[in-house]
Amino acid sequence: MLPLIKRKVGETMVRTMTIDDYDEVYALWMSIHGFGIRSIDDTKEGVEMFLKRNPTTSAVDVEDGKIVGAILCGHDGRRACLYHVCVSEKYRMHGIGKKMVEFCCEQLKKEKINKVCLNAFVTNTVGNKFWQKMGWTLRTDLNYYDFALNEDNLTIFNK
């Protein structure tokens, strides 16, 4: 088990994500066991397009000069979605995920967005436990469908 990093109570280092953060964010994604990366959407070019469409709503948490948490957050003018919510394994259980989610939600409220959703893989026990603890509602009243417009945009999971 990785050692936990102590944080000062109430300390927050959450800020808006920019494309300059990409290399560190990508390295964070690659460090997390079971994390799913899209072969096209999660390239630097794909993330740059996403951030240009949503310049204020994504977040990173910086500790000791390095990014230890990240969320891609965007909206269509009506509903927002969180993607790739993650915290480095050794920085977990210190409120970083909660602070980043709160940051994103505050940014969305400024843009008059009233609802936010996310997808969590059923096998992601850590993530699902986090969302339940945060008070998010697991929807059982609808079916989720998607359709691949580009078959080359594959999800690859870290081992």
Side-chain angles (χ1 to χ4, degrees):
M1 179 172 235
L2 297 169
L4 293 176
I5 305 299
K6 302 229 184 234
R7 290 174 60 96
K8 295 176 186 170
V9 176
E11 180 182 16
T12 182
M13 299 297 294
V14 178
R15 65 168 172 76
T16 302
M17 181 190 298
T18 70
I19 194 58
D20 293 335
D21 298 319
Y22 179 81
D23 291 336
E24 276 191 85
V25 169
Y26 186 82
L28 172 64
W29 292 343
M30 296 307 291
S31 75
I32 296 174
H33 173 73
F35 199 82
I37 298 293
R38 303 289 295 176
S39 59
I40 296 174
D41 294 339
D42 295 328
T43 62
K44 187 169 187 174
E45 294 76 21
V47 172
E48 185 170 29
M49 284 190 316
F50 184 88
L51 293 175
K52 281 181 180 178
R53 287 184 185 102
N54 302 279
T56 64
T57 53
S58 294
V60 293
D61 183 89
V62 180
E63 284 297 320
D64 303 319
K66 66 180 179 175
I67 292 173
V68 300
I71 299 177
L72 287 174
C73 175
H75 68 84
D76 61 8
R78 178 177 175 154
R79 178 176 291 179
C81 193
L82 302 181
Y83 305 91
H84 291 348
V85 178
C86 64
V87 175
S88 172
E89 292 177 6
K90 70 179 184 176
Y91 284 85
R92 291 180 182 166
M93 305 302 294
H94 294 283
I96 293 171
K98 181 178 185 216
K99 288 182 186 305
M100 289 191 305
V101 170
E102 289 170 348
F103 175 90
C104 292
C105 288
E106 285 304 312
Q107 295 301 102
L108 292 168
K109 286 178 187 177
K110 289 177 186 176
E111 297 192 28
K112 307 249 188 282
I113 303 301
N114 298 308
K115 193 162 190 170
V116 61
C117 66
L118 62 94
N119 295 314
F121 289 105
V122 173
T123 56
N124 181 355
T125 54
V126 171
N128 285 298
K129 194 174 184 180
F130 172 79
W131 295 114
Q132 290 169 7
K133 185 176 179 184
M134 289 281 295
W136 285 55
T137 303
L138 175 63
R139 297 282 304 258
T140 58
D141 61 330
L142 54 84
N143 293 319
Y144 174 81
Y145 296 91
D146 69 15
F147 185 82
L149 295 174
N150 185 338
E151 295 293 331
D152 293 330
N153 193 26
L154 306 173
T155 300
I156 301 159
F157 293 94
N158 296 341
K159 294 184 183 199

